[in-house]
């Protein structure tokens, strides 16, 4: 499977798993505070990924070709945990307290365009015209799914707080892309989930939030394993294969997934607007997946450590062929060639 197709499959699956969590979690909001709910979901995700990592070692699959976390990765990891797991959620809950639910939902959709702007403007990713059109259509659908006639309820502080949360997550996505390209996504997301879960549960305890019954705790943590843990890892692989800008477009389908699952779970209606959104997002995904970016480009000399295979023309750095994917410190010699590519780890070159 081509990397671009892998990225699309992983990104859409991550959005599906995350999207279903919203209507399910809504069933528990009457007895669980939002801060404690976030903590339980992240804690469940972290513990689930710990079990996955243990199982991988237990059954002899500890070496899967990915490089482990290094001390040099600490700044990126701290940035992800602080921005995505701490500051972002705190700003979001602060903003939601001051804004109407509909207006808050619309503001949360800013995460995808902010992610794309940062990826293209700051982190040197590139989108073709067809990909930009596809991403724009998906974002339009994401905006329509939350739109309804309403009056703005809230204040500028709430708007700034919620907008700040989306900027934090946009930065988190771009930092995660850089780190997951080099390191084992399971290890990266395990650290993020455990850290975020501990912080949010600690915040709930300090606020004296009421704990739900044991069955509700177990259900939320179980939901966290799938909708946050597995989703986070799949999303990290999508970031590795296609970059943060394209991943943000695919992940923007999550609100539609949540709306679709709200029909059987919450008894909410689905009308002509939802059908239009489904069609728009389908067209956007097809445009993204069908785009091809091919031109003559040059790779500068660089040295790093990450998962790769010697069948890849970018990694013919050893005279002795090593079969399969593996990780070690290696140097890339300058090379100029032409082939289809996206903004992955090795293709952050300038574009006219």
């Amino acid at each position: 499977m081509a990397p671009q197709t892998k990225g699309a499959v992983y990104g859409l699956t991550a959005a599906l798993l995350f999207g279903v969590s919203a209507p399910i979690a809504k069933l528990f909001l009457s007895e669980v505070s939002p801060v404690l709910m976030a903590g339980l979901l992240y804690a469940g995700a972290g513990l689930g990924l710990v079990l996955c990592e243990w199982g991988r070692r237990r059954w002899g699959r500890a070496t899967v070709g990915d490089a482990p976390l290094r001390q040099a990765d600490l700044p990126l990891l701290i940035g992800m945990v602080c921005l995505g797991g701490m500051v972002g959620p705190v700003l979001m809950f602060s903003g939601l307290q001051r804004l109407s639910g509909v207006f808050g939902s619309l503001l949360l959709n800013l995460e995808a365009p902010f992610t794309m702007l940062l990826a293209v403007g700051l982190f040197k990713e590139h989108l073709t015209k067809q990909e930009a059109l596809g991403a724009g259509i998906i974002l339009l659908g994401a905006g329509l799914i939350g739109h309804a006639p309403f009056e703005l309820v809230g204040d500028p502080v709430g708007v700034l707080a919620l907008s700040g949360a989306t900027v934090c997550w946009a930065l988190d996505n771009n930092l995660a892309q850089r780190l997951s390209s080099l390191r084992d996504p399971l290890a990266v997301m395990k650290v993020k989930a455990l850290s975020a879960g501990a912080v949010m549960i600690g915040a709930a305890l300090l606020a004296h939030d009421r704990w739900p019954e044991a069955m509700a705790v177990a259900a939320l943590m179980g939901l966290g394993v799938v909708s946050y843990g597995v989703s986070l890892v799949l999303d990290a692989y999508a970031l590795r294969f296609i970059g943060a800008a394209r991943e943000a477009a695919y992940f923007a389908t999550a609100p539609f997934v949540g709306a679709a699952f709200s029909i059987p779970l919450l008894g909410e209606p689905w009308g002509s607007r939802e059908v239009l959104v489904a069609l728009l997002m389908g067209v956007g995904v097809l445009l993204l997946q069908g785009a091809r970016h091919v031109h003559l480009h040059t790779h500068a000399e660089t040295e790093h450590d990450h998962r790769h295979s010697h069948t890849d023309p970018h990694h013919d750095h050893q005279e002795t062929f090593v079969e399969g994917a593996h990780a070690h410190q290696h140097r890339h010699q300058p090379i100029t060639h032409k082939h289809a590519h996206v903004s992955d780890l090795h293709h952050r070159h300038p574009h006219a």
Side-chain angles (χ1 to χ4, degrees), residues 179-338:
L179 194 54
S180 62
S181 295
L182 293 168
R183 306 295 179 237
D184 181 3
L186 178 59
V188 172
M189 294 306 167
K190 177 195 70 175
V191 173
K192 178 183 176 180
L194 288 175
S195 301
V199 169
M200 300 308 286
I201 289 177
L205 290 174
L206 289 174
H208 303 291
D209 289 349
R210 181 174 61 87
W211 277 73
E213 296 180 355
M215 288 297 293
V217 172
L220 286 170
M221 293 186 73
L223 178 64
V225 171
V226 177
S227 292
Y228 280 63
V230 178
S231 177
L232 278 173
V233 173
L234 290 175
D235 194 52
Y237 277 109
L239 288 167
R240 167 185 286 184
F241 288 125
I242 58 176
R246 293 166 183 81
E247 176 276 337
Y250 286 125
F251 203 80
T253 60
F256 171 73
V257 172
F261 273 84
S262 294
I263 300 169
L265 287 175
L266 304 176
E268 296 182 359
W270 199 20
S272 57
R273 181 179 59 192
E274 285 72 22
V275 174
L276 174 62
V277 169
L279 292 174
L280 283 173
M281 288 192 164
V283 170
V285 168
L286 289 175
L287 286 172
L288 267 176
Q289 178 56 23
R292 280 178 59 83
H293 179 59
V294 183
H295 65 92
L296 191 68
H297 57 278
T298 299
H299 298 269
E301 183 177 358
T302 186
E303 184 174 349
H304 53 194
D305 172 17
H306 68 98
R307 175 188 174 98
H308 63 281
S309 171
H310 288 172
T311 58
D312 180 356
H314 301 92
H315 293 93
D316 56 353
H317 49 265
Q318 285 191 354
E319 294 181 1
T320 303
F321 179 79
V322 179
E323 187 174 358
H326 58 284
H328 63 86
Q329 191 77 13
H330 58 278
R331 180 179 295 276
H332 292 268
Q333 298 300 324
I335 181 176
T336 299
H337 58 181
K338 179 179 179 180

Side-chain angles (χ1 to χ4, degrees), residues 76-89:
L76 286 177
L77 199 55
I78 290 175
M80 287 174 56
V81 172
C82 291
L83 291 169
M86 299 180 186
V87 181

